[in-house]
């Protein structure tokens, strides 16, 4: 029994609270062990260039693959890893996977093919440390900097535009590309956006979903594509699932698409097979 806050409030640690605390400790312990055993891997989703119909890049998406084969999606472990201070170590494993496979695919002649890695809000606030982690991965695995791209969500970037500018400048100066992820869901100030050292905007999939049936979503997608081009940026549409969505995006001269229509995020050997065999007919 514990007495908190002095006064007359007396809080008791109930069995439920104890169980909850144990669960958290267990999770932390499991993640530590998973890190030691290198269970955090990258899966790769192709990005198709609509001008050339070539896979010009992939996005590396973190997966926790348990020895029993269970796959935990990033939405379930990234926030916890951030709280436990384990995000950097997970990022290192994903980055090393990303750089290793991408260097290989370029060496095999499938290139130039780039890779995009997601940066968490927590890491964003420590640019120097992030730069060390990223620089080490590039050096270790021999990937040229221009083939790496860092994705920062619009809401993270706009939560601290000053810092976002610094981060992007730092990485761009080293030849690494920067893109804004989930664009359209945050609150962008256009005067801020124009000062970012950016390579690409990624249209959030919530706008792509109903693009063929909802006139507002169609207008938003068209406007984002036009604005990106006016600012000399590439634009990639996320979450493309149907041929109708693809046709619309082609018509609007969107540069790249990513989505289940082309391929789901794939284990590296499967992505390699796709590079060899080409994308499915319905996607090109
Ligand atoms: P994101 O960066 O916006 O990644 C795209 C997400 O959309 C992925 O989910 C992908 O599987 C999913 N997706 C792709 N195409 C389609 C489609 O056609 N339809 C639908 N319904 N979904 C599609 P995933 O892999 O579960 O990742 C979720 C989020 O977790 C990512 O969103 C990203 O913000 C974060 N994340 C993933 N890997 C990492 C990582 O290594 N580090 C950090 N900090 N965050 C990561
Ligand atoms: Mg992303
Ligand atoms: Mg996204
Ligand atoms: Mg997202």
């Amino acid at each position: 029994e514990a007495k908190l806050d002095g006064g007359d409030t007396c809080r008791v640690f109930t069995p439920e609270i104890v169980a909850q605390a144990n669960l958290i400790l267990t999770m932390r312990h499991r993640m530590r062990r998973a890190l030691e055993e290198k269970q955090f891997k990258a899966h790769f989703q192709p990005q198709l260039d609509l001008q050339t119909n070539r896979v010009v890049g992939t996005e590396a998406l973190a997966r926790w693959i348990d020895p029993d084969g269970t796959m935990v999606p990033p939405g379930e472990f990234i926030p916890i890893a951030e709280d436990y201070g384990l995000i950097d170590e997970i990022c290192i494993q994903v980055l090393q996977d990303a750089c290793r496979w991408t260097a290989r695919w370029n060496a095999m002649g499938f290139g130039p093919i780039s890779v995009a890695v997601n940066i968490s809000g927590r890491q964003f606030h420590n640019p120097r440390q992030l730069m060390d982690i990223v620089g080490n991965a590039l050096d270790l695995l021999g990937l040229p900097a221009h083939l790496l791209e860092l994705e920062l969500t619009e809401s993270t970037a706009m939560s601290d535009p000053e810092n976002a500018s610094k981060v992007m400048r730092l990485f761009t100066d080293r030849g690494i590309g920067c893109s804004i992820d989930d664009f359209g869901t945050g609150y962008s100030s256009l005067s801020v956006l124009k000062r970012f050292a950016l390579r690409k905007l990624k249209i959030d999939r919530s706008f792509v979903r109903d693009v063929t049936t909802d006139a507002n979503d169609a207008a938003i997608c068209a406007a984002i594509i036009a604005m990106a081009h006016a600012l000399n940026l590439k634009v990639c549409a996320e979450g493309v699932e149907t041929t109708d969505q693809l046709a619309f995006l082609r018509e609007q001269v969107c540069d790249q698409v990513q989505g289940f229509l082309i391929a789901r995020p794939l284990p590296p050997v499967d992505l390699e097979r796709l590079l060899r065999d080409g994308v499915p007919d319905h996607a090109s």
Side-chain angles (χ1 to χ4, degrees), residues 50-86:
L50 294 184
Q51 204 100 63
T52 60
N53 279 322
R54 265 192 64 237
V55 173
V56 290
T58 67
E59 176 171 6
L61 293 154
R63 300 288 181 265
W64 177 358
I65 301 167
D66 213 62
D68 72 7
T70 333
M71 197 170 78
V72 188
E76 281 175 33
F77 64 81
I78 297 280
I80 302 175
E82 286 195 318
D83 284 349
Y84 291 171
L86 299 176

Side-chain angles (χ1 to χ4, degrees), residues 59 118 153 181-182 185 204-205 238:
E59 176 171 6
N118 295 282
T153 67
D181 201 358
D182 302 349
T185 58
D204 189 69
R205 66 183 156 87
E238 299 190 280

Side-chain angles (χ1 to χ4, degrees), residues 10-22:
C10 184
R11 200 172 301 162
V12 171
F13 291 130
T14 63
E16 287 75 24
I17 292 174
V18 172
Q20 184 70 29
N22 280 334

Side-chain angles (χ1 to χ4, degrees), residues 31-216:
M31 283 185 112
R32 273 243 138 269
R33 204 183 46 199
L35 273 164
E36 278 159 27
E37 292 173 4
K38 298 241 182 332
Q39 291 173 8
F40 295 95
K41 306 267 184 210
H43 278 189
F44 296 86
Q45 189 175 37
Q47 298 176 329
L48 186 72
D49 182 283
L50 294 184
Q51 204 100 63
T52 60
N53 279 322
R54 265 192 64 237
V55 173
V56 290
T58 67
E59 176 171 6
L61 293 154
R63 300 288 181 265
W64 177 358
I65 301 167
D66 213 62
D68 72 7
T70 333
M71 197 170 78
V72 188
E76 281 175 33
F77 64 81
I78 297 280
I80 302 175
E82 286 195 318
D83 284 349
Y84 291 171
L86 299 176
I87 189 68
D88 281 337
E89 287 169 83
I90 290 179
C91 176
I92 290 170
Q93 292 193 358
V94 173
L95 251 175
Q96 291 192 351
D97 246 9
C99 294
R100 180 180 302 114
W101 286 96
T102 305
R104 171 181 159 92
W105 295 328
N106 279 281
M108 289 174 80
F110 294 126
I113 178 168
S114 60
V115 67
V117 172
N118 295 282
I119 295 309
S120 90
R122 186 64 60 91
Q123 296 179 293
F124 161 81
H125 290 291
N126 200 341
R128 290 280 155 200
Q129 183 162 334
L130 182 60
M131 190 66 200
D132 281 348
I133 289 172
V134 170
N136 286 341
L138 288 174
D139 293 345
L140 180 69
L141 297 148
L143 187 73
H146 73 274
L147 293 176
L148 181 67
E149 202 172 277
L150 297 184
E151 295 191 1
L152 202 58
T153 67
E154 182 185 30
S155 26
T156 299
M158 291 301 167
S159 71
D160 187 349
E162 196 91 2
N163 187 52
S165 283
K166 248 181 246 157
V167 171
M168 290 179 201
R169 179 51 49 214
L170 198 62
F171 284 90
T172 300
D173 283 348
R174 207 176 180 288
I176 298 162
C178 296
S179 64
I180 297 281
D181 201 358
D182 302 349
F183 188 78
T185 58
Y187 299 90
S188 265
S189 147
L190 298 182
S191 61
V192 168
L193 190 69
K194 74 168 185 190
R195 283 188 274 110
F196 283 165
L198 275 174
R199 185 186 283 179
K200 192 190 284 181
L201 293 183
K202 297 187 74 180
I203 307 175
D204 189 69
R205 66 183 156 87
S206 60
F207 302 110
V208 174
R209 192 181 52 223
D210 299 323
V211 83
T212 58
T213 53
D214 182 322
N216 290 331

